[in-house]
Amino acid sequence: MKATGWEQEEELRGASALCNLFANFLNTKISVGDAEYATGLMEALEGLWASSARQEDSALGAAEASMDESLLAAAKAAMATDAVAAQERLAVERTRYVRGLRAGNSVKPPFESLYLTENDSLEEIASVAGAYRVAGFQLTEELLNRPDSLATELSFLAQLFGEAAQAVSRDDIEAAHALCQEAGKFTRNHLGKWGPSYCEQAAEATDSELFRLAMILMGDFIKSLTEEEEGKGKTNCN
């Protein structure tokens, strides 16, 4: 087994935390009339941006991030101008592009079967659910009710990376390696095939600067996981 960064506890916990950050963003119903959620999200995204810029071997840095400074500046400017309005736009755009509740959307909701099949295939959904069963992953009330949602797939990877980190902490490198392999297999067969495409389309279509920043960062993070699986990243889970 290769001795790589993915077998280090800190790296694994970081990957798990990022998966949870984006899954929670997708699942959270955002209120209007205040700026509390938008402020917290902006702080988290700005911290992630700064971290990836400083560390070439970070999970996001491995994706050779496709964004430029204007995206971050635009989101910060929107918050500085009217944070309450920025949160309201964020809430509207989340409903439009995550829940898919607005007629005439050019972007399909983030469900794997809508991106990898032409007819919202139950077979694709069953394949995702089968991967969860094998790993002992339990769907919770907080997750969207479809197993092939982007939020659920990210939550699944968060669990695998978290369990791998725990295995490393108790010096069970064999277990950690097996969990990393499972995460890599799921990324290769499922999330990596469609997640970046959805994020790119949503980022291009939205008129919320904060939603766009979240989509770009999420897409680049998923790409970084795909590169780990292909052995092209700065670290390697194989």
Side-chain angles (χ1 to χ4, degrees), residues 12 16 135-136 157-168 170 175-176 179:
L12 291 164
S16 179
L157 288 176
Q159 175 177 298
L160 292 178
F161 289 133
E163 291 178 353
Q166 293 174 12
V168 170
R170 62 176 185 268
L179 288 159

Side-chain angles (χ1 to χ4, degrees), residues 4-24:
T4 68
W6 282 110
E7 284 134 14
Q8 298 176 4
E9 184 178 354
E10 184 176 351
E11 290 281 345
L12 291 164
R13 291 194 186 282
S16 179
L18 286 176
C19 288
N20 274 324
L21 170 67
F22 291 124
N24 290 337

